[in-house]
Amino acid sequence: MGRGIAVKNLRVMIAGDSAPLMDSKYQTIVVAIGGDGTFVSACREFAGENSLVVGIAGGSVNFLTSFSVISDLSGLFGGTHKVSHRVLGSSKVYYKTTDSFSDPVTFANDVVIAPCDHKMVNCMITDDQGRLLADFKGDGVLISTPMGTTAYSLSMGGPLMHPTMQALLVTPRAPRNMAARPIILPTHVGLRIHVDADCDLISDGLPDHALHEFTVLHVDRGPDVLVALPEDYSFFEQARQKLGWFK
């Protein structure tokens, strides 16, 4: 979980009374105390389960963690929270020479294709029916979940997506053609990415498989994750505060 802390099935003491965090309809309650990296790790690990992830701000950015220990956490026990469904992504590598796949990897933020030795790479992107969607030449591409659009993609000029959207974002990295722009696609469209050079695959900042001309990266919708939010939470207010809009 990095430098943060993740706690499961927490019980707390309020005014001398022992009370379970939330209620029993969730199999697991995950409390992630730290920054966005800790929160992302918790979402990735517990996605697809009947689990609820609670992010408590402890980092410096905190786009994704929405509770503070002092002022907001009491809403969890009074039933004044709300629950949000977040879409994650799933990637796996197809090996042409052996007609086989790697094990799928779930990502909560993004998966990045980066050429080895800092060389330029051509990334041809098709859908799962073989129809051409884009052909980017540059420093690779990044595929982001809606949650991940406040991370690496944002620094590359990608748009913000509301975290509850059912979509994936494809952002070219330093494209050679200035007309190349990010593309938002619905999650029912499976992405197939072909490269013409050796590349590293990085999922949520962690090394993944290697890519080359005899591989095809498959990116599809992954499992959903349930996230607890304060009753008055607003993604746009969060964005205004973190990005300094209207100052």
Side-chain angles (χ1 to χ4, degrees):
M1 292 296 178
R3 291 177 292 179
I5 302 171
V7 183
K8 298 193 302 180
N9 296 329
L10 180 67
R11 294 185 68 87
V12 299
M13 298 292 293
I14 302 180
D17 295 324
S18 177
L21 187 62
M22 306 291 189
D23 53 48
S24 60
K25 67 180 179 180
Y26 302 109
Q27 177 181 336
T28 305
I29 303 297
V30 183
V31 181
I33 306 172
D36 287 349
T38 303
F39 181 79
V40 164
S41 296
C43 288
R44 184 175 60 244
E45 183 171 348
F46 294 96
E49 303 178 11
N50 184 27
S51 301
L52 189 68
V53 180
V54 183
I56 299 178
S60 57
V61 180
N62 298 321
F63 259 111
L64 304 177
T65 52
S66 52
F67 288 94
S68 69
V69 174
I70 297 175
S71 62
D72 295 334
L73 198 56
S74 59
L76 289 170
F77 307 103
T80 57
H81 64 280
K82 56 186 177 182
V83 176
S84 175
H85 289 252
R86 305 289 174 85
V87 170
L88 304 190
S90 177
S91 67
K92 60 183 178 181
V93 178
Y94 172 68
Y95 298 94
K96 300 178 185 178
T97 54
T98 58
D99 190 26
S100 62
F101 285 94
S102 68
D103 292 333
V105 174
T106 297
F107 60 93
N109 258 0
D110 50 48
V111 62
V112 180
I113 297 175
C116 299
D117 302 322
H118 306 288
K119 295 180 180 178
M120 195 169 290
V121 62
N122 192 74
C123 296
M124 185 179 71
I125 305 173
T126 67
D127 66 8
D128 48 9
Q129 303 300 314
R131 294 169 293 203
L132 181 65
L133 300 177
D135 200 351
F136 295 134
K137 187 169 186 178
D139 290 348
V141 297
L142 179 150
I143 299 95
S144 172
T145 66
M147 279 201 307
T149 60
T150 60
Y152 189 9
S153 176
L154 183 63
S155 70
M156 294 196 302
L160 288 178
M161 289 199 295
H162 194 280
T164 60
M165 287 183 64
Q166 310 289 302
L168 293 175
L169 171 67
V170 181
T171 304
R173 301 175 71 232
R176 184 173 182 178
N177 185 346
M178 290 301 294
R181 288 292 180 262
I183 303 171
I184 298 174
L185 296 166
T187 53
H188 68 262
V189 176
L191 302 177
R192 308 294 179 256
I193 303 157
H194 310 251
V195 299
D196 65 353
D198 292 344
C199 295
D200 292 321
L201 184 63
I202 304 166
S203 296
D204 284 344
L206 302 174
D208 200 333
H209 295 82
L211 299 177
H212 47 76
E213 60 181 317
F214 299 108
T215 60
V216 181
L217 177 64
H218 289 222
V219 179
D220 298 279
R221 176 177 182 152
D224 289 1
V225 66
L226 300 176
V227 175
L229 300 171
E231 187 67 28
D232 60 352
Y233 171 83
S234 167
F235 170 73
F236 297 106
E237 179 62 27
Q238 192 100 331
R240 281 195 293 270
Q241 292 178 3
K242 300 302 179 182
L243 298 177
W245 289 350
F246 310 127
K247 288 187 177 180

